[in-house]
Amino acid sequence: MATLFKDVYIADGSREKAERVHLLVSKGRIASITSANENPPSADKIISGRGKMAVIPGFVNAHTHAAMVLLRGLGEEAPLMEWLQNKIWPVEEKLTPEYIYWGTLSAMLEMLASGTTCFADMYFEMEGVAEAVLGAGMKAALCRGITAGEPGKIERSLQNNIELAEKYHGREGLITIQLGPHAPYTVPLEAMKVITDAAKSKGLGVHFHYLETEGELRNLGHDPVKYLADTGLLDVPSLTLAHAVYLDPEADIPSDNVTLVHCPCSNLKLGSGIMPLPAWLERGMPVALGTDGASSNNQLDIWGEMRTAALLHKGANKDPVCITAIDALRMATYEGARAFGFSQKGMIREGWFADLVLVNLDKPHYIGVNDENLAAYLVYAGSSADIAGTMVNGRWVYRNGEYPTLDREEIVQKAREAREAMTTR
Ligand code: NI
């Protein structure tokens, strides 16, 4: 079935100006983009924009722990390590595969409504997460969070992560799998080498928390670049470093196989600090955006991260041009897709996957919008409340408050029950 977006604006992270076009979606892809001044192509279904709708690429949440929506609100306003050790880890002990499954689905309701078409998730019991993703028809980059613990735990987690890759990597074009060593402070150096050897031999990427806090930098015990080199992390097929608040932009980090994930709201809320984003962008480092888990953000809204990132660095650097709205849009869409091996995703281009967000511009805060200023309107005036629909591979997964592929009532009920079971003594 072909869907025509008739006379809509398109904007993405590669266009200096928005364009007013007819955009045809067919067979899961953007089939054609033609000027709105021309006659529109025919289609089975027509969405008439009349210049009051925009189509942008679906957002990619490049770092989260989706099922942590079940832990939202626990231990608010505490430093990272205190929060993890006293509030989060004890409740996480009570998580079951079933809770994680429903928690992930509940997170997906939030993400789809806020325009996210793909999320990079590090957690455990990931088979259920993969099944939830396939059932919803969403895209995801999944890894099993690997941490040290009782003897043999790292080995078992790694094996579990590898089995996840064997079963799900590339499934239906919706899922990619990475290896997920949690962080330098939860995985000993020697075990990191075993994990990076596995990544190299299996051809898998690695998703890793790195230098989120100043304390982590102090305790690392190595030069940060030397740590990445010595552990083999710089030699894996692709490396995604979540947070990187304390990584020096002068550091010799390759930009071809490494992507940083900026999580501004989580870093602000936990008082971790501010990543030196403008310097990374200046040197051409790929940087994507992530929310981190809902218990440290507390939203799963990449549109909000986009706005926060753009504002935060202008203020912190006393420089209103150090990050542009188009930079923010590119970080929120294309960079995350690229980092996790989703090709032809994250830009509005003919032949690329129709992973799209439909934005309603027929609202008071869009008065005055035009092709020159659309990106700035979206980032600074807009919000995910303007989203009229979210599409993955040409199929609606969220449309006008409804979820065509998910049972919202059941998911909310099951997630609520899981939360109660975990927090009631
Ligand atoms: Ni995280």
Side-chain angles (χ1 to χ4, degrees), residues 258-299:
V258 182
T259 301
L260 309 181
V261 184
H262 184 28
C263 304
C265 292
S266 174
N267 296 154
L268 285 172
K269 182 160 182 286
L270 289 172
S272 300
I274 299 174
M275 174 210 242
L277 177 69
W280 286 114
L281 294 180
E282 176 89 5
R283 60 166 273 191
M285 191 73 190
V287 184
L289 288 178
T291 59
D292 211 354
S295 49
S296 65
N297 185 307
N298 294 2
Q299 301 181 337

Side-chain angles (χ1 to χ4, degrees), residues 187-200 229-232:
V187 181
L189 194 80
E190 287 309 311
M192 278 305 307
K193 290 181 188 166
V194 174
I195 294 167
T196 58
D197 281 346
K200 283 182 265 182
D230 289 353
T231 49

Side-chain angles (χ1 to χ4, degrees), residues 63-65 122 182 209 212 242-243 292-293 296:
H63 178 70
T64 191
H65 315 279
M122 178 193 290
H182 174 263
H209 290 99
E212 179 174 356
H243 302 295
D292 211 354
S296 65

Side-chain angles (χ1 to χ4, degrees), residues 45-362:
K45 182 99 179 81
I46 296 172
I47 292 160
S48 191
R50 292 187 291 272
K52 294 190 176 70
M53 287 189 155
V55 174
I56 60 174
F59 296 123
V60 177
N61 186 347
H63 178 70
T64 191
H65 315 279
M68 286 186 90
V69 292
L70 299 176
L71 287 76
R72 181 184 265 138
L74 297 177
E76 292 291 354
E77 292 160 1
L80 176 69
M81 290 319 291
E82 185 186 317
W83 168 76
L84 281 175
Q85 287 166 358
N86 299 335
K87 302 292 182 182
I88 295 301
W89 289 342
V91 182
E92 272 187 342
E93 294 279 301
K94 299 183 187 172
L95 280 167
T96 67
E98 193 191 353
Y99 296 168
I100 291 173
Y101 174 77
W102 291 109
T104 302
L105 281 166
S106 190
M108 285 161 63
L109 296 177
E110 293 183 45
M111 289 194 277
L112 292 173
S114 51
T116 291
T117 52
C118 179
F119 64 105
D121 199 51
M122 178 193 290
Y123 219 51
F124 23 88
E125 308 295 352
M126 298 303 287
E127 288 223 352
V129 174
E131 292 299 329
V133 166
L134 293 172
M138 203 175 169
K139 293 185 182 177
L142 308 178
C143 66
R144 206 272 186 217
I146 302 171
T147 55
E150 70 280 1
K153 186 176 175 209
I154 286 192
E155 292 75 8
R156 281 197 304 279
S157 301
L158 175 59
Q159 185 55 31
N160 180 256
N161 201 154
I162 290 169
E163 286 165 11
L164 186 77
E166 285 164 356
K167 189 164 177 192
Y168 289 105
H169 189 66
R171 271 281 283 277
E172 299 180 30
L174 296 177
I175 294 179
T176 65
I177 304 289
Q178 293 73 40
L179 297 183
H182 174 263
Y185 55 90
T186 47
V187 181
L189 194 80
E190 287 309 311
M192 278 305 307
K193 290 181 188 166
V194 174
I195 294 167
T196 58
D197 281 346
K200 283 182 265 182
S201 72
K202 305 280 179 191
L204 296 170
V206 170
H207 184 174
F208 184 51
H209 290 99
Y210 200 49
L211 301 182
E212 179 174 356
T213 64
E214 207 161 20
E216 187 188 327
L217 174 64
R218 270 198 307 274
N219 295 332
L220 186 66
H222 297 263
D223 169 78
V225 179
K226 192 166 181 324
Y227 174 89
L228 294 176
D230 289 353
T231 49
L233 281 162
L234 291 181
D235 303 322
V236 302
S238 70
L239 174 65
T240 312
L241 298 175
H243 302 295
V245 177
Y246 291 93
L247 193 59
D248 183 349
E250 303 280 308
D252 185 19
I253 306 277
S255 58
D256 54 344
N257 69 332
V258 182
T259 301
L260 309 181
V261 184
H262 184 28
C263 304
C265 292
S266 174
N267 296 154
L268 285 172
K269 182 160 182 286
L270 289 172
S272 300
I274 299 174
M275 174 210 242
L277 177 69
W280 286 114
L281 294 180
E282 176 89 5
R283 60 166 273 191
M285 191 73 190
V287 184
L289 288 178
T291 59
D292 211 354
S295 49
S296 65
N297 185 307
N298 294 2
Q299 301 181 337
L300 297 179
D301 182 345
I302 288 293
W303 196 320
E305 301 296 324
M306 187 166 72
R307 183 170 194 270
T308 301
L311 296 179
L312 172 64
H313 296 283
K314 292 173 196 287
N317 293 282
K318 300 186 182 128
D319 178 2
V321 295
C322 67
I323 166 171
T324 66
I326 292 168
D327 287 334
L329 194 53
R330 189 186 64 253
M331 291 166 63
T333 55
Y334 173 75
E335 295 295 2
R338 174 190 167 278
F340 289 102
F342 291 94
S343 60
Q344 299 190 316
K345 171 169 172 54
M347 300 281 186
I348 307 288
R349 291 191 186 168
E350 283 181 1
W352 283 39
F353 287 104
D355 294 2
L356 305 172
V357 175
L358 180 65
V359 182
N360 179 11
L361 304 178
D362 193 11

